[in-house]
Amino acid sequence: DLIEELIHYFHKEEPKGDGAILVFLPGWGDIAKLYLTLYQSGQNFKLIALHSMMTPEQQQQAFVRPPAGMRKVVLSTNIAEASVTIDD
């Protein structure tokens, strides 16, 4: 999957944990599939799903910096594309 390959590329080419990767996907099915694939990859990712099915507390995690050495990967629906800014 091209998106998965790009995430791994950015993760390896940039210093580990230096900056979040924000991915916009069409819907929950795509988010869940990519989340599971990335989780199973064994990489040091802090994975966060942004979707209306998630609780506000879970969604708030998108704006918290990850622990040192971890790369935050936020998987969101494209509906949020115009309104989400991740500062790291």
Side-chain angles (χ1 to χ4, degrees), residues 60-71:
Q60 190 62 31
Q61 288 299 307
F63 305 102
V64 176
R65 289 194 180 269
M70 290 193 85
R71 170 83 64 181

Side-chain angles (χ1 to χ4, degrees), residues 32-73:
K33 179 182 173 189
L34 184 56
Y35 187 104
L36 184 59
T37 302
L38 292 173
Y39 179 79
Q40 292 174 338
S41 74
Q43 292 293 323
N44 204 15
F45 293 137
K46 177 178 172 117
L47 299 171
I48 298 163
L50 278 183
H51 189 273
S52 61
M53 292 175 42
M54 310 306 291
T55 68
E57 292 79 18
Q58 290 169 316
Q59 292 181 26
Q60 190 62 31
Q61 288 299 307
F63 305 102
V64 176
R65 289 194 180 269
M70 290 193 85
R71 170 83 64 181
K72 180 168 53 177
V73 179

Side-chain angles (χ1 to χ4, degrees), residues 62-83:
F63 305 102
V64 176
R65 289 194 180 269
M70 290 193 85
R71 170 83 64 181
K72 180 168 53 177
V73 179
V74 179
L75 308 175
S76 177
T77 57
N78 54 6
I79 293 171
E81 189 171 357
S83 63

Side-chain angles (χ1 to χ4, degrees), residues 11-32:
H11 182 58
K12 290 175 185 167
E13 295 301 316
E14 296 294 323
K16 292 201 183 325
D18 187 22
I21 299 172
L22 179 56
V23 181
F24 294 105
L25 298 159
W28 176 249
D30 297 300
I31 290 172

